[in-house]
Amino acid sequence: MSFKYLTNIALEKAKQDYLQTLMHNGMVYKSEVIPVIKAAGRTTAQPVYAQICAPHYNASAMDGIALEAKLTFGASETTPALLAADQYQRLNTGDPLPEGCDCVVMIEDIIETDDGNGTVKLYEAAAPWQHIRQIGEDICAGEIIALSYAAITPSALGAMIAGGVTEISVIKRPVVGIIPTGDEIVPPTSNPGAGDILEFNSSIFSAMLSNWGAETKVYPIVPDQLEQIIATLKLAISECDIVILNAGSSAGSEDFAAEAIAAVGTVLYHGLAIKPGKPAILGYCGAKPVLGVPGYPVSGIIVIEQLLRPIVEFLNKSISEPDRYMEAVLSKAVVSTLKYREFVRVRMGYVGSRLIASPLSRGSGVVTSFMKADGIVEVPQGVEGYESGVNINVRLLRSAEELKQSLVVIGSHDPLLDELAELLRVRYGDVSLGSAHVGSMGGLLAIRREEAHVAGTHLLNTETGEYNRSFIQKLLPKSGARLVQCVKRTQGIITQKGNPKRIAQIADLAQGGLRYINRQKGSGTRILIDYLCNKDGLDTTLIYGYDREEFTHTSVAALIAAGSADAGLGVFSAAKLYGLDFIPICQEQYDLLIPEHSWGLPMVQKMLEVLGSDEFCARIDVLGGYELDSPGVVREVF
Amino acid sequence: MSFKYLTNIALEKAKQDYLQTLMHNGMVYKSEVIPVIKAAGRTTAQPVYAQICAPHYNASAMDGIALEAKLTFGASETTPALLAADQYQRLNTGDPLPEGCDCVVMIEDIIETDDGNGTVKLYEAAAPWQHIRQIGEDICAGEIIALSYAAITPSALGAMIAGGVTEISVIKRPVVGIIPTGDEIVPPTSNPGAGDILEFNSSIFSAMLSNWGAETKVYPIVPDQLEQIIATLKLAISECDIVILNAGSSAGSEDFAAEAIAAVGTVLYHGLAIKPGKPAILGYCGAKPVLGVPGYPVSGIIVIEQLLRPIVEFLNKSISEPDRYMEAVLSKAVVSTLKYREFVRVRMGYVGSRLIASPLSRGSGVVTSFMKADGIVEVPQGVEGYESGVNINVRLLRSAEELKQSLVVIGSHDPLLDELAELLRVRYGDVSLGSAHVGSMGGLLAIRREEAHVAGTHLLNTETGEYNRSFIQKLLPKSGARLVQCVKRTQGIITQKGNPKRIAQIADLAQGGLRYINRQKGSGTRILIDYLCNKDGLDTTLIYGYDREEFTHTSVAALIAAGSADAGLGVFSAAKLYGLDFIPICQEQYDLLIPEHSWGLPMVQKMLEVLGSDEFCARIDVLGGYELDSPGVVREVF
């Protein structure tokens, strides 16, 4: 009933033992015979021998006439060779060489005479076999056109057909059965009930597996009933080459996966020394892998990538391109446990002279972290993690070219950043804007550490009432940077629709029974609420939930909309997005800080251009609660 | 009626004008709405907004109990917090957080008491919101999950479903219609008649186009009738986004493509300054490209890659990975004309310290040249070509990793080399053996120039009757190399089945009406026949066809089998392959020469291992006419 029953096997050993056991049990690739014209992209299972020569007859390589070369020997400008109509034959490219002819003369080298008998003149002798594609020029019958285990490229396809091959034996794609389980799991929908978990893992897994050349078969969702799981497993094993049993692989009260797999086959290992992905079950039934995969999407992705990819490639006889790695500077410390090998998703970008890797959310339920990831940092078992600023080796999920085009925006969150990213994407397909929401302070610090191209900031100097300026001077005393105007935006209290708690001012946040939802420390909005409370002499410890922190305006509004909180400070656009009530408190200045080293970059200039565009105005207008502050114009140079 | 009517437009200008004209005519991508679960690998046409939050309720991240955190404040080892049964609720991972609870405590941190009322003990205070996946932790409703024109990766697919998205608008794949034409064109078969040309271009083109994300529709073969071609063009234009009219694009008497395209639309250019591919027709009908593609496969491949790929990618909103280039040393001079930009296929390999690029056959009918190619060398318009030994920039068709595993064998041809390649492939999937047949002499020279890892050689010293030794000493005076034993093979006269010309000895080759087929100068077999004739005092000018040269034993046999020649000197295995008669003349020694710098390479050692294997013996036995000469054993070190 608890985790301690799971083993903690090192990944490499587990992989090796698993593959060896399966091979020892007779796991081998299958082949099938298919028509050549359907074989594009497949892999040959045997050498392909040419059935005929290509060309299979001596063919003219030109439009012209065919003749016996010796008739032209000695021909020259002064003494041309004359050919009577019966001494040559006209033919077009591809026509077979007539009996008794051994060369072709091009149409433009033939001088027609006017003797009326079709006699032609040649000013040059023809060499035997000139302009003739001889039998077997391309392929000789009996030759090997393609070796075993060769990828069938477009030209290989053409060569096979040219060689008279109509059917070939190719590697059969392994079929992977995917069984989703769980009482709480429901098929994809736009309005799930509370407690319903949308079944999207099988879609992720299917897409991954087909990228590796496998076919997939997804079974209907099975409830947490041991007998039903066993029955479905048996069916899948009979129908597929590989079976994935999704979720129930842990050790909770409703985790039947291990028991079910043991009932139909053998469990080699239950529990790997990796994170995410620990509760994986490496099982098999004879020569067929039966893998118990954890329910959290990120765990599942990593388990399948690490354990099934090699097996699928083994069964496909396909050699995958080796992973690409690059050195990068870690922007934030990564703390790991000695116990596990950890896979950390990172976002990457070239800032200044360095390639920066910024860790993304490590929650194994956060599928977007994989979607946003540019690379994976592996913290080996036995290593406690890496400090911020160290050089690390990153496995790339995108090409170096793409990374060069990724604009790193770190700092204060505002919904307009997504709209900016979209406009950039539409106007300049090559630039991708990735934003990390660490608050205004975090943004300035990222600029100081040379880890971002742009930082969104709205820091209020409570003495002067002025924004950003003083903070930049304090945090970036020397380094040159430009502060670019963007918008003025309205901050206020976001409340449930209809404002049931009757909130009119900051002081009302302390009322009994009100659940406040706050922003993280260091964010401009947090600094603002601290200031506002302080100004009104309000003791923040009296505000329930003041320590409950979210990282974006949107998530604050989302929690209020869902009834999980009653109020929070945020921008109007976030309230509007969810149709919530909004009590305006003040208007603040939201600027973008851009360091000198980034200013000249084409992608930064493109962003500034978009900032100043009418489309941007229009988008901002739709979001609501903004006042354009001549976006893109430099406010001040530091 | 002749080539002079074709224009000679520079490729870049033609590409640019073509794309601009089409865009000016309104060529744009199309979109379609499809279910998300079918969207893997597609490209978004619009930003995808989350419909719901993920998670859409506050969910337990652990198996354990839910409670109000403040009930545990101050708890410690000495003063544990006691929770009555009504103060907590048991729940599993993923279960919704019950009303009034604000945290979860893991099952293993709970101490059950034995008071029989279900009271539990906690030795540690719980922090509010611990072990809870809060609403929107992954995705907030209304947020952009994916921007426009984004590739839908497996994780993106998962994120969309998690965000409650069930349908999305994606880029519609452009449909390319392919119309094969020509009276001589027939569908793929193993026994075409003389003059029949197998229709394999549409298979090649379809495979290329689907690799770029297009759908293809191949129309039935249309004979060389203008009206029928026009009718089919009209149909295809109405059904497809892009139309390819294959062949008839030249200016021969049956080339109707230009006329047909002009009849249904406009011809922008007819004739490009490229080779192969010159007679391309850049036409359009409104916003739809209608491309006239030459009939030779290599020409077609290049025209489609150069002109259609950018259009398909434009319509797919897909940004293809940029081509990869590498510097290499050209092993053979490439002579080009100033008039055209030429695309030369090359085979590549790392020999010694250099990456070598060896030009393959430049015949535009030789589809295998594309299949074997590792890269493309472009000779710009206005450049006469490149000399042997110069550094050139090569566009890679294979990865650098693959090139490192390619074993370069240059020299004398023998069918056993293909069998060797196959065995290597099966035993070591990573090694690929590529052989170029330039004769024994060419092989030794390649070794001297450090352009090959291995050379097959069987050079007879006509004074001593000894093989290879003296030639190596003469051609490689200093450079170290090892001569490795391979086979003794029987050379003889290959004749038609039943030997109708009654050939018994070399002298018989001079008989009237006999058509001899020879091997190229510098090949061991050519040197042998020269020697044999000379020995018998036979004047080779009396042998008809003595100047007709082929590069392999197989092609000599193929021409004889096809009745295009009566006799030729070659090895028994080639005669056997075609069931031809064979008059044995002598047995010769076929060795492999391996230079020191290659000897230590793993792939060379693997080859030697395979040479000594039983499988190799067995294959040799099947080929016939060989005597194993302890293959793989070093005969002599030079």
Side-chain angles (χ1 to χ4, degrees):
Chain A
M1 281 299 293
S2 143
F3 301 101
K4 55 182 101 58
Y5 297 129
L6 299 197
T7 54
N8 195 57
I9 307 293
L11 179 61
E12 283 319 312
K13 176 175 171 39
K15 276 165 104 161
Q16 218 174 48
D17 294 355
Y18 198 34
L19 203 57
Q20 272 172 11
T21 308
L22 290 164
M23 284 163 74
H24 174 269
N25 289 2
M27 181 175 72
V28 285
Y29 71 86
K30 298 176 184 169
S31 65
E32 60 184 338
V33 174
I34 62 170
V36 164
I37 54 168
K38 298 207 180 309
R42 301 296 294 271
T43 304
T44 58
Q46 284 159 22
V48 179
Y49 290 90
Q51 302 300 307
I52 58 174
C53 294
H56 58 95
Y57 59 91
N58 292 321
S60 175
M62 297 285 176
D63 298 336
I65 60 171
L67 60 147
E68 215 179 342
K70 63 170 182 243
L71 298 175
T72 69
F73 292 169
S76 72
E77 283 291 337
T78 51
T79 59
L82 287 168
L83 298 175
D86 62 354
Q87 293 181 298
Y88 68 87
Q89 289 186 45
R90 295 193 180 278
L91 74 183
N92 286 314
T93 306
D95 290 346
L97 187 68
E99 195 57 41
C101 299
D102 63 7
C103 74
V104 167
V105 174
M106 287 191 284
I107 194 162
E108 53 264 61
D109 295 338
I110 300 158
I111 315 302
E112 316 271 349
T113 66
D114 45 18
D115 68 350
N117 308 329
T119 306
V120 297
K121 250 193 269 185
L122 302 181
Y123 287 123
E124 215 179 288
W129 305 102
Q130 76 175 22
H131 302 322
I132 290 171
R133 294 190 57 219
Q134 293 198 51
I135 291 164
E137 175 194 280
D138 194 354
I139 299 163
C140 288
E143 272 183 342
I144 293 179
I145 297 176
L147 299 174
S148 296
Y149 317 148
I152 300 172
T153 59
S155 48
L157 197 63
M160 290 174 188
I161 298 172
V165 180
T166 52
E167 285 191 326
I168 54 169
S169 168
V170 296
I171 303 293
K172 189 172 181 312
R173 296 197 165 110
V175 180
V176 183
I178 302 174
I179 306 173
T181 68
D183 296 332
E184 67 284 18
I185 307 297
V186 300
T189 166
S190 304
N191 40 27
D196 289 349
I197 295 175
L198 296 178
E199 205 292 281
F200 55 79
N201 281 355
S202 58
S203 297
I204 300 177
F205 302 161
S206 295
M208 292 168 70
L209 288 157
S210 25
N211 286 347
W212 303 331
E215 281 171 19
T216 58
K217 183 173 185 358
V218 177
Y219 290 83
I221 298 162
V222 183
D224 290 318
Q225 301 295 333
L226 184 57
E227 309 66 31
Q228 293 190 47
I229 296 171
I230 291 175
T232 315
L233 265 182
K234 286 182 176 161
L235 175 66
I237 291 168
S238 70
E239 294 177 331
C240 310
D241 304 302
I242 299 173
V243 177
I244 292 173
L245 182 60
N246 190 209
S249 71
S250 189
S253 58
E254 289 167 3
D255 294 328
F256 299 119
E259 205 176 336
I261 294 173
V264 298
T266 312
V267 171
L268 178 64
Y269 294 121
H270 184 188
L272 299 179
I274 59 172
K275 196 172 166 209
K278 176 170 183 32
I281 303 166
L282 282 58
Y284 57 88
C285 180
K288 293 183 177 182
V290 181
L291 192 69
V293 172
Y296 279 132
V298 178
S299 312
I301 289 170
I302 286 166
V303 166
I304 286 174
E305 190 186 40
Q306 291 297 320
L307 291 153
L308 278 198
R309 183 172 191 166
I311 292 174
V312 168
E313 286 172 350
F314 171 83
L315 291 175
N316 262 334
K317 281 285 175 187
S318 65
I319 304 144
S320 63
E321 281 226 349
D323 292 327
R324 294 168 299 178
Y325 288 83
M326 258 178 131
E327 278 259 306
V329 179
L330 194 62
S331 71
K332 203 162 42 156
V334 170
V335 181
S336 180
T337 73
L338 295 168
K339 207 170 161 212
Y340 307 115
R341 169 166 168 189
E342 185 158 5
F343 299 83
V344 181
R345 283 84 64 202
V346 295
R347 184 161 235 162
M348 302 172 77
Y350 284 93
V351 182
S353 54
R354 309 176 307 165
L355 178 58
I356 303 292
S358 309
L360 288 153
S361 160
R362 289 159 75 180
S364 44
V366 183
V367 66
T368 49
S369 68
F370 229 107
M371 187 182 168
K372 292 175 185 157
D374 300 312
I376 304 278
V377 172
E378 290 192 17
V379 186
Q381 198 175 2
V383 174
E384 273 179 309
Y386 300 114
E387 289 177 0
S388 158
V390 300
N391 281 321
I392 39 153
N393 212 16
V394 185
R395 170 157 51 104
L396 298 186
L397 301 178
R398 301 199 203 297
S399 72
E401 289 73 21
E402 287 173 281
L403 294 182
K404 291 200 181 78
Q405 291 297 323
S406 94
L407 188 60
V408 181
V409 180
I410 298 181
S412 168
H413 169 259
D414 191 287
L416 68 80
L417 291 174
D418 287 347
E419 302 296 334
L420 190 56
E422 168 66 12
L423 290 174
L424 253 174
R425 177 79 188 175
V426 170
R427 193 181 284 205
Y428 302 103
D430 52 349
V431 180
S432 68
L433 183 156
S435 53
H437 313 311
V438 300
S440 296
M441 276 294 184
L444 296 192
L445 294 171
I447 296 290
R448 183 163 79 172
R449 293 193 305 264
E450 287 203 7
E451 290 168 0
H453 299 117
V454 181
T457 174
H458 58 106
L459 289 165
L460 171 64
N461 179 324
T462 52
E463 275 94 55
T464 65
E466 177 187 58
Y467 277 90
N468 298 327
R469 195 168 197 296
S470 57
F471 293 86
I472 296 167
Q473 286 171 326
K474 183 148 148 292
L475 289 169
L476 298 102
K478 330 177 232 2
S479 67
R482 305 189 198 193
L483 190 63
V484 173
Q485 301 182 202
C486 189
V487 294
K488 287 194 160 44
R489 62 183 198 180
T490 312
Q491 286 267 25
I493 300 168
I494 301 172
T495 76
Q496 307 271 357
K497 193 165 183 51
N499 189 7
K501 300 285 183 185
R502 305 246 179 295
I503 299 164
Q505 58 199 353
I506 296 296
D508 301 335
L509 297 177
Q511 68 181 269
L514 182 141
R515 297 161 304 159
Y516 187 74
I517 174 73
N518 210 346
R519 290 291 308 283
Q520 84 278 15
K521 297 176 192 62
S523 67
T525 304
R526 176 63 169 266
I527 291 172
L528 179 62
I529 187 70
D530 290 343
Y531 164 71
L532 294 170
C533 293
N534 178 290
K535 191 161 60 85
D536 297 7
L538 181 62
D539 174 1
T540 59
T541 60
L542 300 176
I543 302 176
Y544 176 81
Y546 203 80
D547 301 337
R548 185 180 174 189
E549 300 183 347
E550 285 294 326
F551 284 80
T552 69
H553 296 275
T554 319
S555 41
V556 164
L559 285 166
I560 294 167
S564 175
D566 300 306
L569 192 69
V571 294
F572 175 76
S573 56
K576 185 186 175 202
L577 181 61
Y578 291 92
L580 298 169
D581 275 26
F582 184 79
I583 299 101
I585 299 291
C586 63
Q587 197 183 44
E588 67 180 7
Q589 177 183 313
Y590 184 88
D591 294 332
L592 301 175
L593 186 68
I594 304 176
E596 274 315 318
H597 58 68
S598 301
W599 183 263
L601 296 175
M603 58 186 172
V604 170
Q605 289 304 314
K606 288 172 178 171
M607 183 199 74
L608 293 169
E609 183 198 320
V610 170
L611 265 182
S613 69
D614 298 347
E615 294 94 321
F616 183 69
C617 294
R619 295 264 185 167
I620 288 304
D621 212 46
V622 174
L623 289 177
Y626 298 96
E627 194 181 299
L628 289 167
D629 187 14
S630 41
V633 173
V634 174
R635 182 186 300 284
E636 188 171 1
V637 179
F638 293 89
Chain B
M1 281 299 292
S2 143
F3 299 102
K4 55 184 96 62
Y5 297 131
L6 300 198
T7 54
N8 195 57
I9 308 293
L11 179 61
E12 283 320 312
K13 176 176 170 41
K15 277 164 105 162
Q16 217 174 50
D17 294 356
Y18 199 33
L19 203 57
Q20 271 171 14
T21 309
L22 290 163
M23 284 163 75
H24 174 268
N25 289 2
M27 180 175 71
V28 284
Y29 71 87
K30 298 178 184 168
S31 65
E32 61 184 337
V33 173
I34 62 170
V36 164
I37 54 169
K38 297 207 180 311
R42 302 296 293 273
T43 304
T44 58
Q46 283 159 21
V48 179
Y49 290 89
Q51 301 301 307
I52 58 173
C53 293
H56 57 94
Y57 59 91
N58 291 322
S60 176
M62 297 285 178
D63 298 336
I65 59 170
L67 60 147
E68 212 179 347
K70 65 168 179 245
L71 298 174
T72 69
F73 291 169
S76 72
E77 285 291 339
T78 50
T79 59
L82 286 170
L83 298 175
D86 62 352
Q87 294 180 296
Y88 68 88
Q89 288 187 45
R90 297 193 179 277
L91 75 183
N92 285 314
T93 305
D95 290 344
L97 186 69
E99 194 58 40
C101 299
D102 64 6
C103 75
V104 167
V105 174
M106 288 192 286
I107 193 162
E108 53 265 63
D109 296 338
I110 300 159
I111 315 301
E112 317 271 352
T113 64
D114 45 19
D115 69 350
N117 308 329
T119 305
V120 296
K121 250 194 268 185
L122 301 181
Y123 286 123
E124 213 180 289
W129 305 102
Q130 78 176 20
H131 302 321
I132 291 171
R133 295 189 58 220
Q134 293 198 53
I135 291 164
E137 174 194 277
D138 194 353
I139 301 162
C140 288
E143 271 182 342
I144 294 180
I145 297 176
L147 299 173
S148 296
Y149 317 148
I152 300 173
T153 60
S155 48
L157 198 63
M160 290 174 188
I161 298 174
V165 180
T166 53
E167 286 192 325
I168 54 169
S169 168
V170 297
I171 304 293
K172 190 172 181 315
R173 295 195 165 111
V175 179
V176 183
I178 302 173
I179 306 173
T181 69
D183 298 331
E184 67 284 16
I185 306 295
V186 300
T189 164
S190 304
N191 41 25
D196 289 349
I197 295 176
L198 296 179
E199 204 292 279
F200 55 79
N201 280 356
S202 57
S203 298
I204 298 177
F205 302 162
S206 295
M208 291 168 70
L209 288 157
S210 22
N211 286 347
W212 304 329
E215 280 171 19
T216 58
K217 185 174 185 359
V218 178
Y219 290 83
I221 297 161
V222 183
D224 289 317
Q225 301 296 333
L226 184 57
E227 308 64 31
Q228 292 190 46
I229 296 171
I230 291 175
T232 314
L233 264 181
K234 285 182 176 161
L235 175 67
I237 290 168
S238 71
E239 295 177 332
C240 310
D241 304 303
I242 299 172
V243 177
I244 292 174
L245 184 59
N246 189 210
S249 71
S250 189
S253 57
E254 290 167 2
D255 293 327
F256 299 119
E259 207 175 335
I261 294 173
V264 299
T266 312
V267 171
L268 178 65
Y269 295 122
H270 184 189
L272 299 180
I274 59 172
K275 196 176 164 201
K278 178 174 183 28
I281 304 166
L282 282 58
Y284 57 89
C285 179
K288 293 182 177 182
V290 181
L291 193 70
V293 172
Y296 280 132
V298 179
S299 312
I301 289 171
I302 285 166
V303 167
I304 286 175
E305 188 185 41
Q306 291 297 321
L307 291 153
L308 278 198
R309 183 173 190 165
I311 292 174
V312 168
E313 286 172 351
F314 171 83
L315 291 176
N316 262 334
K317 281 287 177 184
S318 65
I319 303 145
S320 63
E321 282 226 349
D323 293 327
R324 292 168 300 177
Y325 287 83
M326 257 178 135
E327 279 260 306
V329 178
L330 195 61
S331 70
K332 204 163 36 154
V334 170
V335 180
S336 180
T337 73
L338 295 168
K339 209 172 159 207
Y340 307 116
R341 170 167 169 188
E342 186 160 4
F343 298 83
V344 181
R345 282 85 65 201
V346 294
R347 183 160 237 166
M348 302 172 77
Y350 283 94
V351 183
S353 54
R354 308 175 309 164
L355 179 57
I356 304 294
S358 308
L360 287 153
S361 161
R362 289 159 75 181
S364 44
V366 183
V367 66
T368 49
S369 68
F370 229 107
M371 188 181 166
K372 291 174 185 158
D374 301 313
I376 304 279
V377 173
E378 290 193 18
V379 186
Q381 198 175 4
V383 173
E384 274 180 308
Y386 299 114
E387 287 177 3
S388 158
V390 300
N391 282 321
I392 39 151
N393 212 15
V394 186
R395 170 159 49 104
L396 298 186
L397 301 178
R398 303 203 201 297
S399 71
E401 288 74 20
E402 287 173 281
L403 294 182
K404 292 201 181 83
Q405 291 297 323
S406 95
L407 188 60
V408 181
V409 180
I410 299 181
S412 169
H413 169 259
D414 190 288
L416 70 79
L417 291 175
D418 287 346
E419 302 297 334
L420 190 55
E422 168 66 11
L423 290 174
L424 252 174
R425 177 79 188 174
V426 171
R427 193 180 284 204
Y428 302 104
D430 52 347
V431 180
S432 69
L433 183 155
S435 54
H437 314 311
V438 299
S440 296
M441 276 294 184
L444 296 192
L445 292 171
I447 295 289
R448 183 164 78 173
R449 294 193 304 264
E450 287 204 6
E451 291 167 0
H453 299 117
V454 181
T457 175
H458 58 106
L459 290 165
L460 172 64
N461 178 325
T462 52
E463 278 91 57
T464 65
E466 176 188 58
Y467 278 90
N468 299 327
R469 194 166 200 296
S470 57
F471 293 86
I472 296 168
Q473 287 170 324
K474 183 148 147 290
L475 289 170
L476 297 101
K478 332 179 229 5
S479 65
R482 307 188 196 194
L483 189 63
V484 173
Q485 301 183 196
C486 188
V487 293
K488 286 194 161 40
R489 62 184 199 181
T490 311
Q491 286 265 23
I493 301 169
I494 302 172
T495 76
Q496 308 270 355
K497 193 167 184 48
N499 189 9
K501 300 285 184 183
R502 302 246 179 297
I503 300 162
Q505 58 200 351
I506 296 296
D508 302 335
L509 297 177
Q511 68 182 271
L514 182 140
R515 299 161 304 159
Y516 187 73
I517 174 72
N518 211 345
R519 291 289 309 283
Q520 84 279 16
K521 297 178 192 63
S523 66
T525 305
R526 177 61 169 267
I527 291 170
L528 179 61
I529 187 70
D530 290 345
Y531 164 71
L532 294 169
C533 293
N534 178 290
K535 193 159 60 83
D536 296 7
L538 181 63
D539 174 1
T540 59
T541 60
L542 300 176
I543 301 175
Y544 177 81
Y546 202 79
D547 301 337
R548 184 180 175 188
E549 301 182 344
E550 285 294 328
F551 284 80
T552 69
H553 295 275
T554 319
S555 42
V556 164
L559 285 165
I560 295 166
S564 174
D566 300 306
L569 193 68
V571 294
F572 176 76
S573 56
K576 185 186 175 203
L577 182 61
Y578 291 91
L580 298 168
D581 276 27
F582 185 79
I583 300 99
I585 299 292
C586 64
Q587 196 184 44
E588 67 179 7
Q589 177 184 312
Y590 185 88
D591 294 332
L592 300 175
L593 185 68
I594 304 176
E596 271 317 319
H597 59 66
S598 301
W599 184 263
L601 296 175
M603 58 185 171
V604 170
Q605 290 303 313
K606 288 173 179 172
M607 183 201 72
L608 292 170
E609 181 199 319
V610 170
L611 265 182
S613 69
D614 298 347
E615 293 96 320
F616 183 69
C617 293
R619 295 263 185 170
I620 288 304
D621 212 49
V622 174
L623 289 176
Y626 297 95
E627 196 181 297
L628 290 166
D629 187 13
S630 39
V633 174
V634 174
R635 182 185 300 284
E636 189 171 1
V637 178
F638 294 89

